[in-house]
Amino acid sequence: MSTVKLWQLDSSLELEYSLQQDAVLGYMDDFYREEGYRFDPVSQRANVIEFVQSPSFGALFLIVYEGQIAGYAVLAYGFSFEFGGKDGVTG
């Protein structure tokens, strides 16, 4: 039986982190093309780096299936007075 795992993108392992960024950017590019959005890999890489290095923004997770990166998920934090404070949005 195969299992799906979530790994949080971690900037502490530099080479692995770079490869993980490449995988996330590849999936972003696919999604942007499918939705008709303009994809700028340089600015998106900078966004991924800033997001991952700022834990107060949220967390980026890799979806790993059978040892291979199969996608990613983002939990972005926000703040809502209507919902009583800090909240999270997935994407």
Side-chain angles (χ1 to χ4, degrees):
M1 175 184 221
S2 297
T3 60
V4 175
K5 297 179 182 177
L6 288 180
W7 289 348
Q8 187 168 353
L9 194 62
D10 182 359
S11 61
S12 65
L13 301 171
E14 198 168 315
L15 176 60
E16 185 175 316
Y17 177 53
S18 178
L19 295 173
Q20 291 170 349
Q21 284 180 40
D22 291 343
V24 169
L25 290 167
Y27 285 109
M28 283 181 167
D29 187 25
D30 291 345
F31 174 74
Y32 279 45
R33 287 176 195 267
E34 186 175 302
E35 295 298 317
Y37 301 144
R38 182 179 164 282
F39 182 79
D40 176 4
V42 174
S43 65
Q44 290 300 343
R45 183 177 296 275
N47 287 338
V48 167
I49 291 168
E50 181 179 8
F51 185 85
V52 170
Q53 292 179 347
S54 304
S56 64
F57 290 170
L60 194 154
F61 299 92
L62 302 174
I63 301 167
V64 179
Y65 179 72
E66 295 186 352
Q68 301 294 317
I69 297 172
Y72 71 98
V74 174
L75 173 62
Y77 299 137
F79 192 92
S80 170
F81 288 99
E82 294 79 11
F83 292 106
K86 192 172 189 179
D87 62 3
V89 178
T90 58

